[in-house]
């Protein structure tokens, strides 16, 4: 269950989305990707996931340059979410902005249980 701190953080993040997050959200919202319902900035297990399709137990993370320095913490976060039954796929901001269709195809594959890397 999400605590008040994570709910407040998620609300703030929804209003300060990056350009890449906004672009991806415009393609995921309203069941636009294969009829799957995605939520944005979702508190899960003490973290705030960028996007989540809870029906498919899929989390989509959009990473900026700061994640180069946070690789170990991202790995630990992914392991924890994996333990809870979630599949986590990550994309760099640049990939979302420049190769949006490729990112969406990778997400489609992840939703069907296939490999989802770029």
């Amino acid at each position: 269950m999400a605590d008040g701190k994570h709910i407040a953080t998620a609300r703030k993040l929804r209003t300060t989305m990056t350009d890449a997050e906004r672009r991806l959200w415009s393609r995921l919202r309203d069941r636009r990707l294969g009829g799957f319902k995605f939520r944005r900035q979702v508190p899960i297990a003490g973290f705030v996931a960028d996007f989540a399709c809870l029906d498919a137990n899929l989390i989509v993370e959009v990473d900026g340059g700061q994640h180069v320095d946070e690789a170990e913490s991202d790995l630990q976060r992914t392991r924890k979410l994996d333990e809870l039954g979630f599949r986590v796929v990550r994309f760099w901001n640049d990939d979302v902005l420049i190769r949006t269709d490729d990112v969406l195809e990778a997400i489609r594959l992840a939703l069907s249980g296939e490999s989802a890397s770029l």
Side-chain angles (χ1 to χ4, degrees), residues 10-118:
R11 285 182 179 148
K12 181 179 181 200
L13 289 170
R14 286 183 202 121
T15 64
T16 60
M17 292 173 66
T18 66
D19 290 341
E21 289 170 337
R22 273 194 296 280
R23 175 170 293 195
L24 191 54
W25 179 238
S26 75
R27 303 291 186 88
L28 296 177
R29 66 182 299 174
D30 299 327
R31 299 181 185 267
R32 291 179 183 165
L33 187 68
F36 286 93
K37 178 173 179 53
F38 279 87
R39 295 174 52 201
R40 63 185 169 132
Q41 306 303 338
V42 184
I44 299 174
F47 306 106
V48 179
D50 291 334
F51 302 99
C53 177
L54 299 178
D55 292 336
N57 286 340
L58 180 68
I59 293 173
V60 178
E61 291 290 315
V62 180
D63 296 338
Q66 78 277 10
H67 285 271
V68 171
D69 296 329
E70 299 173 2
E72 183 57 35
S73 96
D74 284 345
L75 182 61
Q76 290 174 7
R77 173 181 167 150
T78 297
R79 284 184 185 142
K80 173 69 174 173
L81 292 166
D82 284 345
E83 289 171 8
L84 295 172
F86 289 96
R87 182 170 183 194
V88 179
V89 294
R90 294 183 170 279
F91 303 98
W92 291 106
N93 281 344
D94 287 348
D95 286 328
V96 172
L97 292 170
I98 296 168
R99 300 170 39 195
T100 308
D101 290 338
D102 293 337
V103 168
L104 291 169
E105 182 59 25
I107 295 170
R108 273 189 207 95
L109 289 171
L111 287 165
S112 68
E114 298 180 41
S115 178
S117 62
L118 287 183

